[in-house]
Amino acid sequence: MVDCKHLFQEFHPGRFLVFASLLVFGVLLSFKLEGVMECSYWVVFAPLWLWKLIMIAGCILGIRSYILQQDLVHEMGTVADFQAMLLSTSLQMLLLSFEACLCYKLTTDPNSGPDSEGHMNWYLVFMPLFLLSVLSIIICGWGWKKERPLDLELLFSVNMLQFVLLVLRIEGIVFWSYQIILIPLWILLGICSIAVIYYIALTAVLLCTNDILPSLRTPRTAASCLYSLANFSLILFLGLLVTKIDNPEAESHSFIAIFLPYHLGMGSLVVSTFYQKGGNPWWFGIREEFCLFLLKKFPAIRVYGNISYIYGYSTQETAIPVDIPITNTSDSKNSLPKVTFSNVELPD
């Protein structure tokens, strides 16, 4: 059963933007690495630029709404939401700096010497990520204190060692294979696999009991399937990519084939955003849930929000049994017993 009303209510616009941008970026990057597209890396990174542009516009409008609505600022949770928006914007600005430095490095000459014109050391390229990791650790402490969900903050805070190992390998200071360099990432994916297995087991237990509402069975089942598919696809993609990089001269799959599990995993995460209720109401200054804001601005969507689809519906359950005779309505009226009504006087 697909309930459009539930999809509207549980939609997470922020994560949808992030996963959709990463999905399109992966498609363009695979075409660029395979030589199908002869374009600059600035064009390949265009989906990520669009993501950051929307984020900056949403933050500016949120700050404007915060200044103009000071009487409503001290409502429960609004101050923490506004602070979370500012912290998230600062993190993504550092991420934008890293992406810009990486594009510049790849566009010039990634193997250029230190005396060449326009040379940028890989340490400088990864410097925004180092600052991002440190800031993410601080924000994680703030988020746990405020009991707020953590997404990118938690991801970057645990990957500081991974960034250091990548820089050392790219600069030629260490000559380990990328299978060893990416050990922190393997550990992170292993922890995610354990979490996904636990979520699937919990969902199976709840589905076997009556402790969960029937309306929540489909979302939980769909979310567990999507998370497991995304986790398995990303592990497969990372394994294929590491094999390709460590053995560039050996015959292996093309980059387009290697990125297929990545596309599948990101596509699963995009669909899973319809089962992840949340979001910061201060983005773009809407100060309410994205679904309610969208329905107010576009009333025609309400028609689609009240539609539900049931698959595998059988008409045999509602069919009239053959053994039960169907009487004529005119005859049934005459067969009804007649009741005489008398007037009842009300007391004075």
Side-chain angles (χ1 to χ4, degrees):
M1 178 178 178
V2 178
D3 192 354
C4 294
K5 179 181 178 181
H6 178 82
L7 295 180
F8 274 104
Q9 292 176 347
E10 302 296 326
F11 178 63
H12 197 300
R15 294 178 181 176
F16 177 84
L17 175 63
V18 173
F19 294 143
S21 301
L22 292 175
L23 175 60
V24 180
F25 167 72
V27 174
L28 296 178
L29 182 60
S30 62
F31 290 162
K32 172 66 176 178
L33 295 177
E34 192 62 27
V36 178
M37 292 177 54
E38 298 294 338
C39 61
S40 173
Y41 278 100
W42 296 98
V43 178
V44 175
F45 279 72
L48 304 184
W49 309 136
L50 180 61
W51 161 20
K52 306 304 186 303
L53 180 63
I54 295 176
M55 177 270 303
I56 295 174
C59 182
I60 293 175
L61 293 178
I63 295 174
R64 175 181 177 274
S65 176
Y66 181 85
I67 296 174
L68 297 178
Q69 299 180 4
Q70 287 292 330
D71 54 336
L72 301 177
V73 166
H74 297 287
E75 292 181 359
M76 183 178 297
T78 56
V79 177
D81 289 336
F82 181 75
Q83 295 173 353
M85 182 191 69
L86 296 180
L87 293 175
S88 177
T89 303
S90 62
L91 288 180
Q92 298 188 48
M93 291 300 294
L94 288 174
L95 186 59
L96 176 63
S97 302
F98 164 72
E99 294 166 358
C101 294
L102 182 61
C103 276
Y104 177 78
K105 180 69 175 178
L106 295 176
T107 303
T108 54
D109 186 5
N111 298 320
S112 59
D115 298 331
S116 61
E117 183 180 358
H119 172 73
M120 177 181 289
N121 196 292
W122 282 105
Y123 294 108
L124 296 178
V125 174
F126 277 80
M127 185 59 65
L129 285 185
F130 298 148
L131 298 177
L132 179 60
S133 300
V134 175
L135 183 59
S136 297
I137 296 175
I138 300 175
I139 295 178
C140 284
W142 175 85
W144 286 328
K145 182 180 179 180
K146 298 292 184 179
E147 297 181 353
R148 297 191 57 83
L150 301 172
D151 297 325
L152 292 177
E153 299 86 356
L154 187 60
L155 176 64
F156 287 109
S157 62
V158 299
N159 277 322
M160 179 182 292
L161 178 60
Q162 182 64 82
F163 301 146
V164 174
L165 292 177
L166 283 175
V167 173
L168 295 178
R169 178 63 176 84
I170 296 175
E171 284 291 336
I173 298 177
V174 296
F175 298 95
W176 304 331
S177 65
Y178 278 95
Q179 293 181 353
I180 300 177
I181 293 295
L182 297 180
I183 284 179
L185 191 55
W186 292 118
I187 296 175
L188 180 61
L189 290 176
I191 296 175
C192 293
S193 301
I194 296 174
V196 169
I197 294 174
Y198 173 78
Y199 186 82
I200 294 175
L202 181 61
T203 303
V205 171
L206 292 177
L207 291 178
C208 295
T209 61
N210 296 326
D211 296 335
I212 184 173
L213 297 176
S215 59
L216 299 178
R217 294 179 181 269
T218 301
R220 280 188 172 273
T221 305
S224 60
C225 295
L226 291 172
Y227 292 153
S228 58
L229 179 61
N231 185 76
F232 173 76
S233 301
L234 293 179
I235 293 176
L236 179 60
F237 160 71
L238 188 61
L240 294 175
L241 183 62
V242 167
T243 304
K244 178 76 172 181
I245 297 176
D246 286 337
N247 303 290
E249 299 179 356
E251 295 183 0
S252 59
H253 302 284
S254 63
F255 281 104
I256 297 179
I258 291 175
F259 272 80
L260 287 179
Y262 174 85
H263 304 333
L264 181 60
M266 284 299 161
S268 302
L269 293 177
V270 169
V271 178
S272 69
T273 57
F274 291 94
Y275 301 97
Q276 303 175 8
K277 185 177 182 179
N280 196 322
W282 278 107
W283 289 108
F284 293 95
I286 60 178
R287 299 196 69 253
E288 59 182 345
E289 292 185 3
F290 178 77
C291 174
L292 298 178
F293 174 79
L294 193 64
L295 293 177
K296 289 180 181 179
K297 293 298 182 180
F298 305 97
I301 305 180
R302 299 177 184 177
V303 178
Y304 301 96
N306 292 324
I307 297 177
S308 61
Y309 304 91
I310 301 178
Y311 299 100
Y313 179 77
S314 177
T315 58
Q316 296 178 358
E317 298 180 358
T318 58
I320 301 176
V322 181
D323 297 336
I324 301 178
I326 303 177
T327 59
N328 191 2
T329 56
S330 59
D331 298 337
S332 60
K333 292 181 180 180
N334 298 329
S335 61
L336 292 176
K338 297 181 179 181
V339 180
T340 304
F341 294 92
S342 59
N343 297 327
V344 179
E345 296 181 358
L346 295 176
D348 295 335

